[in-house]
Structures are given as structure tokens and as C-alpha cells.
Amino acid sequence: MSHKTLDTLVMMANQIARNMMIQGEERALPQISEHIRLYWDPRMRKAIDAHLDAGGEGLDDLARRALTALRDERAAS
Amino acid sequence: MGLIKEIDFGTPASKAVKMVTLTIDGVAVTVPEGTSIMRAAMEMGTAIPKLCATDMLDAFGSCRLCLIEVEGRNGTPASCTTPVAEGIVVHTQTERLKSIRKGVMELYISDHPLDCLTCAANGDCELQDMAGAVGLREVRYGYEGDNHVFAKQGGAANDQWLPKDESNPYFSYDPSKCIVCNRCVRACEEVQGTFALTISGRGFDSRVSPGMSEAFFESECVSCGACVQACPTATLTEKKVIEVGQPEHSVITTCAYCGVGCTFKAEMRGEELVRMVPWKDGKANRGHSCVKGRFAWGYASHRDRITKPMVRDKITDPWRETTWEEAIGRVASEFNRIQDKYGRTAVGGITSSRCTNEETFLVQKLIRAGFGTNNVDTCARVCHSPTGYGLKTTFGTSAGTQDFDSVEDTDVILVIGANPTDGHPVFGSRMKKRLREGARLIVVDPRRIDLVRTPHVKADHHLALRPGTNVAVVTSMAHVIVTEGLADEAFIAERCDLLEYREWAAFVADPRHAPETTQAFTGVPAEELRRAARLYATGGNGAIYYGLGVTEHSQGSTTVMAIANLAMATGNIGRPGVGVNPLRGQNNVQGACDMGSFPHELTGYRHVNDDATRAIFETLWGRPLDKEPGLRIPNMLDAAVDGTFKAIYIQGEDILQSDPNTTHVAAGLEAMECVVVQDLFLNETANYAHVFLPGSTFLEKDGTFTNAERRIQRVRRVMSPKNGYADWEITQLIANALGLGWAYAHPSEIMDEIAYLTPTFTGVSFETLERLGSVQWPCNEEHPEGTPIMHVDRFVRGRGQFVLTEYVPTDERTGARFPLILTTGRILSQYNVGAQTRRTDNSLWHEEDRLEIHPHDAEQRGVNDGEWVKIQSRAGETALRAVVTDRVAPGVVYTTFHHPLTQANVITTDFSDWATNCPEYKVTAVQVSPSNGPTRYQEDYDAFTKQSRRIATAEAAE
Ligand code: SF4
Ligand code: SF4
Ligand code: SF4
Ligand code: FES
């Protein structure tokens, strides 16, 4: 995974979070997770999971929490 | 087959509902009130002689050939200008009428050359027909007197004579044959709305003249062809008809350029296309056309067209022509090898918005069922993907709500980020017609597009916003509507989710969305915005038309939802004259989206993770489908650079030129081991290809396109494919080389499969299209004849959803280093990356891309009109010539991207829409400075292109 691709993924996740934020945290969080689940290919999700495990540098708070939820949900299933 | 001759009723149909019965030549006939006697007669099959009337135009009453007698009335009124009345008794042929008509014709003919045998219009001339119809047998006046026919008169120059005007590349104007019927002038005004022609002089001196006695090419003329079509004589004639002769058969087909989807009669001689004539029954165009569809089809036989498959091992090698067997075999073995080595998901493909629905469907089927991956995307990604997302979220369906006819009932037209007169010219003309009839107009665009001020049309409000602030402007309009109590509460209560509405209303009412607040960063004066919002909310039927200026932003999807909110809040949904209407770029963008071209969804917008949907496909196709979404184009390129994506099959798209950040696209393509390009020409992407499969044009295949109104229309083959196969056949060859065992014999079978698999298409078949001409989806049991207007009684999703639309500024900001904002667009004569139009005479109108810059910014930088400038962004730099103009605001520069040398996408960045990754073409921070000519990169690229397009014909196989 190149640095550049990872930057793109972080940017995409933050962008989604920033646009969903206005719905209020309670509604936004599941929507962000759902958006990523519906539109990201598995290798993109794997890369962002790995990045999350490594500290998730650059991710906004909301994006980070939504991604964490998504990762945990997948680990559980 | 024969030549399709459309009936000319002489005057337009009346829309009245009240019927009137009269007697014509002893036969009772019933027609709507307001119908002309001429039209009523034609409806019962009686053609009254006429010259100045034609049913595309309002009656004019100048030629006096169409006279009739009405019992009990004096004189001989003109039947084209006389409306029917209850109980009148009309005679179309009496001794008196016969003699008047002969006299009229005699006068016409006495000032008309008698070279019928060698005239280009021979066999298609209404003057000739009328001379025959009235029984003209002799002309008593000679040419000795004044005439317009001969260059010399008695040895001296004839001042009345004018030479031919051959300046337009597609048609010629021969004044010596003009009968001054005024049809061309009226066509230019009424149909096209350009007002390029006038009749100068009076009486015998009067003649048609473009502009102020200019040549056609130098005038305002946009070469739409409406005047040529209207001309009853050979005065205005297609040069191709002059060259080839009159066509002998014709076939109805659909234009392959833009999303308007005009229908044409392709008029042929054998397999030679003589001309394309817009078809009056075409429901999108109603008999009109633009310069692209009407004239710019010569690319189909351009010498650059590749007709043999080619392969090469490395992209630095020259191409080697080969057989179809070898080329297809190479694709199959390479994709197999790569999937074995790097995994199933290391390959993918791109479907084309220019190919037919059937072809697009097959490409995604090949990828999903054959390759076993969902890595399929389409160029709609880079234009209208936010439309799909935004409208699906708010209304429940990924498409526009109206048909084009709806504009005829609109009172307020709101155009946001679209330039219809250039991008969707025929619809632009229909819009202008409605505006001339009195509809009001609001334009939201950073640039003063033509529509803001054109002859007899002036926008009530032009909100010249800063690029990138769409969401703020549209939300401010909602603020005004809600806080001033202009919302349509009854509609909302009945049709939308009321709780969501209340939350949304409170959100937009917040003072931070007030125009007085947002004007600081949108640049739109608060008072102007308030007035525009009031007009839209209270001016009657309000319709929103939007284009790429809305979608190609980091908040493209949000703007689409903000627009949908606005329409719902004002009750402008679900009837003629209103709605939310995306103006789609390419001919089949809508179709490509419908056909399941996106990596996450199957046909009819159903997500791949839906087990029930997948099961239907898996059963029919006999192959397992992946339930995970695949990669989008930009992510494919990222993955290629990362080494996890190795091969791609691209049908009819030029991603290197059309996608943002060219250097990144090139790096991605270069990193792949097998790039297969299927296209008409060696496009820019083909510079990086290993296999080139020559494609076919829309003239060479059967199928369907779906236009911006969701209208499915037939494309019909009029000549054999120069490359040997239609594009769908090529995809089938690949599928079968991979062992899929497809056996489609005709595209109609593919459409049957689409209909079987797609709930919104179950009623669609080639037979339906044959019967109805065209149909708008949804077309199924519930709507057997299709759906012109959507969401009539309820939204597709149930209740309309209001979505909160917060303005989030793009990360692409101007600063000291890049103080200007670059925004991009298109112009009339060229199409998209220009691969087709550049290979026609349309290039005469647009030889190169230019950079528009405001005089103030130009002066600060020492930039002069017509000189080369360098333009730099964070992504790269390029050079082109400048046009200094106040069409753009200070701080904004603008260019088109039709020419590869310009490399406008070298400077666009890879910022994109948050929801769909639609690239942010419309906002790039740049700096502009004077320069001497093309940049080093452009020169290198030019050299690289030449290098990579070499074809080693000498070693050709076979
Ligand atoms: S070609 Fe079109 S724009 Fe040009 S003069 Fe004729 S009608 Fe007008
Ligand atoms: S150019 Fe043709 S359409 Fe125009 S006035 Fe002359 S004859 Fe009529
Ligand atoms: S390019 Fe568009 S407007 Fe022009 S003829 Fe074709 S479909 Fe019609
Ligand atoms: S056709 Fe009626 S006056 Fe010319």
C-alpha cells in the first residue's frame, strides 16, 4: 500500500464523516460505516483497517469511530 | 425500405381541446380549435399548394399560393393563416384559385434559374413540386428584366446577383435560387432561437442575409441546420447532397453525441450516408438538431480510424496489426494468466457511456460473471454519479423526474451549473423558445453563459457564485423560502416525511444559512439571491435543470440533495412543468448507469450485496457473483500503482484524457500488465495499451441509447462495421474465449435478458420500441407505455426525504501560490474529449482550447488576449492561449478540455465528491502567467504520443 493510496483513503473517510456530521453523531456514525461498507472494495477496507490498527493517523474523530465500529462488526461476524 | 417522407401539415398542431367541424371539398372534418384550414385539409389528405408554410414554423402568409375559398366569405384567404371555424364550407380547388396560383408560380419561376436537371435539390424541391401541382406550363416573362439569376445582364454586371456563400463547411447558400419565403429566417428564430438571419431590403431587393450581410461562417450562425431543413429550394443545401446526390432510403436512428438523444433519419445511398435529418416524431428533439448530430458524423470514415486489431508486448513497441483470433486470444490468455498469478480481483473493466445499453450490459456481465469480480466502472463516475446518489437518497430513483416536453409548461426555469445552449443545444433551443414565450429564468453559474443574455431572452437573475459554493447558495435559497413562509406546506404534509421536514426547516432557517451571511464567501449578493428564491418559490411551475457544474465538486452529491430539497419544499415535483432534471453529458450516460456499470450495483440500481437480486443473476448466468463492491476508476488506478490491479478492459472511453490528474492516470495504466482498449481511434489511453480492438460507430450497429429523460431509443445499423464487428460482438468474442459460451445473435436478445433481470425494464423490448417509437423507464406492468413524469402521486421511495445539507468547503483552496480558481466546461461544436468532433469540420469553430481570464486578472499578470499563458496547479502545469473576457468573474479562469495537447487534466487534482468520488473538475486553485508556448511536458507528451502510435504495417499478419 503506497503512502499516496493511504492518504487518499484517509481523505475519503474524513470527507464522508464531515458531510454526514450534520445529521448528529447518533445518526451519522452508522451512516458513515454503512457508506463505507456499501461503496469500498475489500482491499480498501482492509487497508484502512490496518491503518486504524497502526494508530489511524490523520483520521478525524468521527471517521475513526465509524471505521472502528465497522472493523469490530466484521471481526464479530 | 424506401425514403421516409414525413407529412408536412403546413402549420403546427393546435393544443386546444375544443374540437371544431368544418367541410372541406365536400368532406366533413373535425380538428382542434385553432388549427389552420391548411392543416385541417392535410389531415384529411388534401395538400393545398404552399411555399412559405411548413409545420415546424408558425404561419407567415407571404407566398399567396395556398389560397382557398370559403362559402359566404369574400375573397381568397390564405389557408395557412386562416383558422378553422365551426360549420364553414371550404373549397381548395376552383377555377379562380387555379388561375391565381398559376399566376403566382409564373412570377416565382420567372426569377428562378431553370437548371432543374443539374440542381442538387432535383427531386426534393418544393418549388418544382408546386410548379407541377398548379399545372404551370409556360412562363410568359423572360429573364431580360431585373433578376437575381444571372451574374451578367446584357454584358454588364448584374447588381441583383449575389455569389454563393460556401463559408459554412456543411451547407452552401446560393442566393440566385432564393424565393424569399422567409422560412429560413423563421426557423433560425422560432426553432433554433439564434436570430442569425434577417431579410434585408424590401420588395424585389429583399434577400436573406446572415447577420449584417456577413458570410454564414462569420455570423452568429451555430450551424444547427434548421434553416437548411426549412428551405423549400436548393438555396440552402447540404454540401454532401451536392456532392453525392439525393438519398434513396432512410433509417430512423439516435444521435450518438449528447444526452439530449435527438432522433434522426439517416438518409442513405446504398451504404453511403448522405445526410442526417432530424425526425419530427423524435420525442426529445421534435424535429430539431445541432451541428454535432446533424453534420459531424464524418469521423466514421476518417482516415485515422483503426479497422484492424493490433497487439504489442510493451507499450514502447510499435503496434502490430493482427487477426481477430490472435487479438482476442491474447486478451483471454493474459486475463487468465494475470488472475492466476495475482488473484481474481486483480482485473476489471470500464463500460462506455457512448456504446449502447446492450453493449454496456455485456461488458459488466463479462466482468462480473466472466472475470468473477465487481471491478467495473463507467465514465459516468466522472460526471453524474452524484445525481444517482443524491436523487436516490431523496426521491428513491437515480434519474431525472421529467420529459423534455415538460419545459413547455414551466413558468420559472432555474439553471444551475449547466450550459444548455452549448452542452445540450437542442434542449437549449426548446428552453429558449419557452423563455421567449414569457417563462422567467434564474441562472446559477460562475460564468456568464450564453443563456444569461441571448436574443429575446434575458435572465431575471444571474447568481454568479464562486466555484465550489453551490451547497451554500442552494441552502441559502432554502433559507429564504422557509423563513419567508414560501414553502408549500400542503405538498410537504402529503408527500414528504414531516418530521424530517421540520428538522430540515429548522436547519436551513439558521442565520448561518442566510444569504446575508453566505454572500461573504459565495460572492452572491444577498438581495439578488432573495429575489431569485422568491421567484422560484412563487412564480408558478418551477423546474430545475442542472449539469456538471453541480456534480463535479467535492460536494456534488450534497448539492444534488439540496436541489431535491428545494423542489420538495416548493411542491415542484410530480406534474408537467416542474421537477429536477439532470442534463446528462454523453449520449448514453443514463443508460450506462441503468445497466449496472457501477462497481456496487447490478442493473436497475440494486446493490450487489442484496442476496435475492444476486440469486436471480446467478441462476440465469450460471456463475457465482461477488457480493462485495468492486473498485471505482480512481481506486483501480491507485490499486494499480500499489500492484494489486494488473489488467483492464476499456470499451469506448478515454480515461487518460477525460479523467482528472493525468499523471496519476498514466502512472496507473503504466503499472498494469495488460491494458485492452476498444475504440474507434488510437485514443490517449491507447498510448498505454497492449491490445487494441477496433470498435464500431453508432451507424454500424443495432441497439438502444437512453437519454437524459430516461427515454430508451433505438439505434439502427445503416452500414456494415468497417472493423468487421459491432462492439457487443467483440465483447462476446472475449467472453467465449474465456469459455462463457454466450450465443447472442442480435442485440434484441440482450435487451430481453435486461428486461428479464430488471424490474424497471420488464416491459422493454425491441418490439415495444418498434411499436411506441421510444419509451421512458420505468416501463413494466404498472407502466406499460413508460413513465414521462415520475413521482406523480408518491415518491418512488415512499415519502420524499429532506436531507440536511451542510456546506463543507473543498480542500482545494486558493492561496498566495495559487490565487485563481480554474473551472472547466464545454462548447457547442466539440464533444467531450473531442475524438470524434476533432475529426470533422467542426474543428473550424474551435481549433484549440483557450483560457478565459477576466481583464483585471489579465492586466495584473501582463497577460494579453491571444497570447500563450502557463497555468499551474498543485498537480501540474500546462499552457494554452488566453482570451481576455468579462464573462468570467475576477478570480476565476475557465477552459474547455476538448484537445489532447491542452492537457487540461494535467492541472486538475484528484479531489472528488465525498459520496461517489466524482472528480472535482470544477474547482482547481491555479496561478496563471505569460509564457512562450507549450510547456516542456506538452512537447514531451506530443512526442510520446507519436512514438506510441506507430503501427508496423509492414509486418502485418494475415
Ligand atoms: S444553421 Fe441554424 S443558426 Fe445557422 S442560420 Fe441556419 S438556423 Fe440559424
Ligand atoms: S433561403 Fe430558402 S428558406 Fe430562406 S428565404 Fe430563400 S428559399 Fe426561403
Ligand atoms: S449532440 Fe445532442 S443536441 Fe446535438 S443532435 Fe446530438 S443529441 Fe441532439
Ligand atoms: S403557404 Fe400560405 S401564404 Fe405561403
Side-chain angles (χ1 to χ4, degrees):
Chain A
M1 182 68 35
S2 78
H3 194 60
K4 165 118 202 332
T5 308
L6 199 53
D7 285 350
T8 308
L9 296 180
V10 169
M11 184 174 83
M12 284 168 66
N14 286 343
Q15 238 186 325
I16 296 165
R18 281 173 209 169
N19 276 278
M20 295 277 192
M21 196 143 67
I22 184 66
Q23 321 284 335
E25 211 177 289
E26 199 184 320
R27 276 182 298 172
L29 271 176
Q31 282 183 26
I32 301 167
S33 308
E34 176 75 355
H35 191 93
I36 290 172
R37 201 166 56 81
L38 288 180
Y39 299 110
W40 287 27
D41 132 292
R43 85 194 74 179
M44 294 160 68
R45 292 206 309 256
K46 218 153 80 196
I48 202 84
D49 283 353
H51 179 64
L52 206 56
D53 290 338
E57 199 194 322
L59 284 169
D60 290 356
D61 175 57
L62 204 60
R64 176 194 305 269
R65 279 191 290 147
L67 285 166
T68 311
L70 188 62
R71 182 191 59 189
D72 296 349
E73 169 199 314
R74 212 140 18 109
S77 70
Chain B
M1 226 168 335
L3 200 63
I4 299 164
K5 290 254 187 212
E6 291 167 272
I7 297 171
D8 184 350
F9 291 93
T11 62
S14 162
K15 283 190 181 170
V17 277
K18 181 154 176 247
M19 301 301 277
V20 168
T21 301
L22 67 161
T23 306
I24 301 178
D25 295 339
V27 179
V29 49
T30 304
V31 292
E33 191 174 27
T35 303
S36 69
I37 292 176
M38 174 181 280
R39 188 175 177 107
M42 197 62 216
E43 282 185 7
M44 58 174 249
T46 298
I48 300 172
K50 65 178 186 58
L51 277 172
C52 70
T54 182
D55 59 11
M56 289 289 288
L57 307 172
D58 291 339
F60 192 61
S62 73
C63 74
R64 310 294 296 160
L65 198 60
C66 69
L67 310 184
I68 42 142
E69 291 190 65
V70 182
E71 284 181 16
R73 288 192 197 173
N74 287 333
T76 51
S79 63
C80 61
T81 49
T82 309
V84 294
E86 187 63 42
I88 57 170
V89 178
V90 175
H91 299 282
T92 69
Q93 180 84 336
T94 64
E95 286 310 317
R96 176 160 160 223
L97 293 173
K98 275 156 69 178
S99 114
I100 301 178
R101 286 189 192 134
K102 264 192 200 159
V104 170
M105 279 311 293
E106 202 176 349
L107 273 176
Y108 274 117
I109 300 299
S110 69
D111 189 20
H112 196 86
L114 296 176
D115 59 357
C116 288
L117 281 183
T118 51
C119 177
N122 189 8
D124 182 31
C125 171
E126 294 181 36
L127 191 67
Q128 210 175 41
D129 295 347
M130 288 309 115
V134 306
L136 186 70
R137 296 293 170 256
E138 59 171 341
V139 177
R140 285 162 298 173
Y141 326 104
Y143 289 124
E144 296 78 43
D146 271 357
N147 69 71
H148 300 100
V149 180
F150 299 108
K152 287 217 162 119
Q153 187 77 348
N158 175 2
D159 292 340
Q160 298 285 356
W161 179 86
L162 286 175
K164 285 187 194 168
D165 175 353
E166 302 271 11
S167 62
N168 183 293
Y170 299 119
F171 61 83
S172 78
Y173 168 49
D174 179 357
S176 75
K177 296 194 165 164
C178 179
I179 58 170
V180 203
C181 67
N182 222 296
R183 274 159 68 160
C184 53
V185 177
R186 287 179 286 142
C188 193
E189 294 177 1
E190 294 173 29
V191 179
Q192 165 58 26
T194 293
F195 294 77
L197 300 178
T198 49
I199 298 277
S200 60
R202 288 165 157 264
F204 190 75
D205 291 333
S206 59
R207 46 210 336 161
V208 171
S209 117
M212 314 302 296
S213 300
E214 292 157 292
F216 267 88
F217 191 74
E218 266 77 53
S219 75
E220 295 290 304
C221 167
V222 295
S223 197
C224 71
C227 56
V228 181
Q229 199 182 335
C231 183
T233 64
T235 315
L236 290 165
T237 304
E238 295 90 350
K239 287 186 177 171
K240 194 77 183 176
V241 171
I242 297 176
E243 177 201 323
V244 181
Q246 290 292 327
E248 43 74 31
H249 76 272
S250 52
V251 178
I252 304 293
T253 193
T254 304
C255 177
Y257 277 119
C258 87
V260 176
C262 297
T263 18
F264 284 87
K265 292 182 289 186
E267 298 196 335
M268 312 291 300
R269 242 194 189 273
E271 284 205 297
E272 180 169 20
L273 180 54
V274 180
R275 65 178 170 188
M276 295 282 271
V277 183
W279 192 40
K280 283 196 288 197
D281 283 347
K283 296 205 178 84
N285 55 322
R286 303 278 178 202
H288 190 34
S289 63
C290 86
V291 61
K292 293 191 283 284
R294 178 83 152 91
F295 296 118
W297 34 266
Y299 67 86
S301 49
H302 193 276
R303 66 187 143 73
D304 285 356
R305 178 135 175 230
I306 306 286
T307 54
K308 293 209 179 91
M310 304 193 294
V311 294
R312 60 183 172 187
D313 293 329
K314 298 194 301 294
I315 61 168
T316 46
D317 292 345
W319 285 105
R320 178 170 62 80
E321 289 184 348
T322 181
T323 59
W324 278 103
E325 291 70 37
E326 190 197 338
I328 298 288
R330 171 80 74 101
V331 176
S333 65
E334 277 297 277
F335 273 67
N336 277 331
R337 176 186 70 79
I338 288 168
Q339 286 193 300
D340 285 347
K341 184 162 168 202
Y342 299 100
R344 182 175 50 85
T345 60
V347 305
I350 297 178
T351 72
S352 173
S353 305
R354 289 173 213 171
C355 286
T356 63
N357 285 317
E358 293 74 13
E359 288 165 340
T360 304
F361 177 83
L362 282 198
V363 171
Q364 63 93 34
K365 176 174 176 178
L366 171 71
I367 293 161
R368 295 188 206 274
F371 301 167
T373 155
N374 289 323
N375 293 331
V376 53
D377 206 357
T378 179
C379 93
R381 168 73 52 217
V382 303
C383 59
H384 265 291
S385 48
T387 291
Y389 181 88
L391 295 185
K392 182 149 195 181
T393 307
T394 47
F395 298 161
T397 187
S398 300
T401 63
Q402 310 297 113
D403 58 3
F404 287 144
D405 284 349
S406 161
V407 76
E408 292 173 11
D409 293 305
T410 299
D411 302 308
V412 181
I413 298 177
L414 172 52
V415 177
I416 311 182
N419 185 359
T421 52
D422 278 296
H424 302 83
V426 165
F427 182 65
S429 288
R430 297 188 66 180
M431 206 180 235
K432 283 195 288 187
K433 182 166 192 175
R434 182 65 195 155
L435 291 166
R436 287 196 307 275
E437 288 166 3
R440 313 282 296 272
L441 172 66
I442 304 164
V443 173
V444 181
D445 201 288
R447 191 164 158 268
R448 197 177 66 235
I449 57 170
D450 281 346
L451 205 54
V452 172
R453 197 180 255 283
T454 94
H456 305 277
V457 169
K458 185 175 175 300
D460 293 274
H461 305 284
H462 174 207
L463 311 184
L465 77 180
R466 296 269 299 163
T469 61
N470 288 329
V471 172
V473 169
V474 181
T475 308
S476 276
M477 288 181 75
H479 171 94
V480 175
I481 288 166
V482 167
T483 56
E484 296 190 8
L486 308 176
D488 184 343
E489 308 263 354
F491 176 89
I492 297 161
E494 190 192 328
R495 305 285 305 275
C496 305
D497 188 313
L498 208 56
L499 276 179
E500 275 165 3
Y501 169 70
R502 297 230 168 91
E503 185 190 4
W504 175 80
F507 163 79
V508 297
D510 190 283
R512 76 178 189 282
H513 300 303
E516 289 71 20
T517 317
T518 56
Q519 67 180 352
F521 52 90
T522 63
V524 177
E527 192 44 39
E528 187 79 18
L529 188 144
R530 278 191 184 272
R531 278 191 270 138
R534 286 175 203 140
L535 175 60
Y536 172 70
T538 62
N541 284 341
I544 303 177
Y545 293 90
Y546 71 88
L548 304 181
V550 158
T551 53
E552 290 178 345
H553 285 282
S554 65
Q555 280 199 294
S557 295
T558 314
T559 311
V560 173
M561 294 188 285
I563 286 172
N565 291 338
L566 210 57
M568 286 188 290
T570 51
N572 277 314
I573 284 288
R575 61 179 189 278
V578 299
V580 173
N581 308 281
L583 293 175
R584 306 244 171 191
Q586 306 199 59
N587 56 321
N588 201 34
V589 176
Q590 180 69 52
C593 297
D594 303 340
M595 289 302 106
S597 292
F598 287 132
H600 64 277
E601 60 196 11
L602 296 159
T603 59
Y605 305 95
R606 289 163 299 161
H607 202 282
V608 290
N609 71 5
D610 182 56
D611 294 336
T613 306
R614 235 178 28 256
I616 305 172
F617 283 79
E618 287 175 335
T619 314
L620 185 71
W621 291 352
R623 309 272 294 193
L625 297 182
D626 194 342
K627 67 175 195 199
E628 295 289 350
L631 292 165
R632 298 168 173 179
I633 296 172
N635 311 122
M636 287 182 198
L637 296 164
D638 285 340
V641 172
D642 292 342
T644 64
F645 189 86
K646 290 290 186 184
I648 192 164
Y649 167 46
I650 306 175
Q651 181 175 80
E653 289 297 341
D654 193 358
I655 57 169
L656 189 72
Q657 206 192 335
S658 65
D659 283 38
N661 198 346
T662 308
T663 37
H664 180 58
V665 180
L669 289 169
E670 207 169 357
M672 295 184 206
E673 292 183 10
C674 182
V675 173
V676 181
V677 169
Q678 180 172 329
D679 211 314
L680 300 174
F681 305 103
L682 280 172
N683 60 19
E684 306 305 306
T685 308
N687 293 344
Y688 294 88
H690 305 89
V691 180
F692 186 87
L693 304 174
S696 57
T697 71
F698 75 112
L699 298 167
E700 300 165 343
K701 57 192 171 198
D702 284 304
T704 57
F705 291 151
T706 308
N707 77 353
E709 320 159 275
R710 295 170 275 109
R711 185 182 300 286
I712 307 162
Q713 308 192 98
R714 275 298 312 275
V715 176
R716 291 187 176 86
R717 173 174 153 154
V718 297
M719 55 178 79
S720 338
K722 290 202 167 36
N723 58 328
Y725 292 109
D727 291 273
W728 61 272
E729 296 177 286
I730 301 170
T731 307
Q732 172 153 286
L733 287 174
I734 299 176
N736 288 339
L738 290 167
L740 294 181
W742 292 358
Y744 302 105
H746 189 267
S748 62
E749 297 170 13
I750 306 173
M751 181 50 89
D752 292 341
E753 180 169 327
I754 296 166
Y756 173 78
L757 289 167
T758 317
T760 43
F761 272 68
T762 49
V764 183
S765 69
F766 278 37
E767 187 274 319
T768 319
L769 295 171
E770 214 58 59
R771 191 162 40 86
L772 299 175
S774 67
V775 73
Q776 288 173 274
W777 67 258
C779 173
N780 45 28
E781 232 164 68
E782 224 178 303
H783 310 277
E785 309 239 306
T787 315
I789 292 177
M790 298 199 74
H791 318 294
V792 174
D793 299 313
R794 57 186 288 278
F795 284 98
V796 169
R797 74 183 296 281
R799 292 193 161 263
Q801 181 178 19
F802 281 92
V803 176
L804 306 188
T805 54
E806 184 74 67
Y807 170 59
V808 181
T810 166
D811 289 327
E812 178 71 7
R813 308 238 171 104
T814 53
R817 228 152 56 87
F818 303 109
L820 302 172
I821 295 180
L822 168 74
T823 182
T824 58
R826 54 200 64 209
I827 62 140
L828 171 68
S829 55
Q830 299 286 343
Y831 171 73
N832 197 265
V833 296
Q836 287 114 313
T837 41
R838 273 187 286 113
R839 291 184 174 90
T840 68
D841 284 331
N842 277 29
S843 292
L844 296 172
W845 281 277
H846 186 80
E847 287 164 46
E848 57 184 339
D849 295 320
R850 299 270 186 129
L851 185 79
E852 290 185 4
I853 181 166
H854 189 271
H856 173 79
D857 294 323
E859 193 189 322
Q860 263 189 356
R861 290 168 175 75
V863 166
N864 295 314
D865 196 72
E867 286 177 7
W868 282 88
V869 292
K870 184 168 79 178
I871 171 159
Q872 283 174 288
S873 76
R874 290 179 185 90
E877 62 179 52
T878 190
L880 67 174
R881 275 183 228 265
V883 177
V884 178
T885 168
D886 67 357
R887 291 189 84 144
V888 289
V892 177
V893 292
Y894 166 89
T895 188
T896 50
F897 61 102
H898 300 298
H899 291 267
L901 182 68
T902 315
Q903 295 277 326
N905 281 327
V906 170
I907 33 191
T908 53
T909 63
D910 39 24
F911 288 119
S912 65
D913 174 46
W914 66 271
T916 65
N917 287 129
C918 178
E920 189 171 43
Y921 286 126
K922 299 290 176 180
V923 188
T924 310
V926 296
Q927 179 57 294
V928 172
S929 52
S931 116
N932 300 326
T935 60
R936 182 66 192 278
Y937 177 86
Q938 284 166 293
E939 279 167 6
D940 289 354
Y941 184 80
D942 206 34
F944 165 69
T945 303
K946 288 202 179 93
Q947 161 92 8
S948 86
R949 288 198 180 146
R950 285 167 306 150
I951 302 175
T953 36
E955 311 159 30
E958 286 175 288

